[in-house]
């Protein structure tokens, strides 16, 4: 009887570990796009949006190694951030690798940027203005 109880406890413990492993899987997905100012943006609605300016028709918005030119919009104009510096970093969801994407100044609530990613997958982009967190969102790089 003790052998049966030990096996049952073992099976229950194994099932519990499987349940925990299933719950710990990465469930991140790209942030939804949104429309503002007559454009379709990637970013955080009401705060920050970006639009790709170059590339071939049908090409993904975010490509590995090739990079792209983007127009960045700081949509919350109530913050008075013109003339402030901003930086963009990205963290790969699977590997945790962090890269510096771009740094520049904000002019007329906008900036241009050339961004490149070195591996495919989901990337969590963080935007900081004057070193303070401003916006974050997830994109899929192909």
């Amino acid at each position: 009887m003790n052998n049966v109880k030990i096996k049952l406890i073992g099976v229950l413990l194994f099932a519990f570990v499987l349940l925990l492993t299933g719950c710990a899987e990465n469930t991140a997905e790209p942030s939804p796009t949104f429309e503002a100012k007559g454009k379709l943006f990637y970013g955080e609605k009401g705060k920050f949006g970006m639009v790709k300016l170059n590339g071939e028709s049908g090409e993904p918005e975010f490509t590995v190694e090739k990079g792209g030119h983007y127009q960045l919009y700081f949509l919350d104009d109530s913050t008075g951030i013109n003339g402030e510096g901003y930086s963009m970093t990205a963290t790969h969801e699977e590997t945790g690798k962090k890269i510096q994407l771009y740094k520049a100044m904000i002019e007329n609530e906008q900036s241009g940027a050339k961004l490149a990613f070195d591996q495919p997958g989901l990337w969590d982009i963080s935007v900081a203005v004057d070193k303070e967190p401003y916006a974050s969102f997830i994109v899929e790089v192909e």
Side-chain angles (χ1 to χ4, degrees):
M1 186 74 107
N2 282 341
N3 200 15
V4 172
K5 286 182 181 179
I6 292 172
K7 284 183 181 179
L8 180 59
I9 290 171
V11 169
L12 290 174
L13 184 59
F14 181 72
F16 180 70
V17 169
L18 285 177
L19 178 65
L20 287 178
T21 303
C23 291
E25 283 186 33
N26 187 352
T27 58
E29 58 184 47
S31 299
T33 57
F34 62 93
E35 286 190 42
K37 300 185 179 192
K39 300 177 189 313
L40 182 65
F41 287 110
Y42 291 83
E44 187 177 323
K45 189 174 185 175
K47 293 282 287 184
F48 179 85
M50 57 192 297
V51 176
K52 188 172 182 182
L53 300 176
N54 68 329
E56 303 295 322
S57 177
E59 179 180 85
E61 291 297 308
F62 303 93
T63 56
V64 177
E65 295 179 357
K66 184 178 178 183
H69 291 276
Y70 298 85
Q71 188 66 32
L72 312 179
Y73 296 85
F74 295 81
L75 301 171
D76 183 5
D77 57 5
S78 68
T79 57
I81 59 176
N82 279 321
E84 297 288 339
Y86 75 92
S87 64
M88 294 177 67
T89 58
T91 305
H92 193 271
E93 287 285 329
E94 188 176 319
T95 66
K97 180 180 182 178
K98 190 172 187 174
I99 60 174
Q100 177 75 43
L101 287 176
Y102 207 76
K103 289 174 88 170
M105 300 297 283
I106 302 167
E107 295 180 25
N108 297 319
E109 285 91 27
Q110 297 182 45
S111 177
K114 181 170 181 170
L115 310 178
F117 299 87
D118 62 358
Q119 59 184 303
L122 297 176
W123 287 84
D124 185 355
I125 297 177
S126 296
V127 181
V129 174
D130 195 26
K131 299 181 182 176
E132 295 294 320
Y134 184 78
S136 70
F137 55 98
I138 297 173
V139 299
E140 184 170 9
V141 177
E142 299 179 51

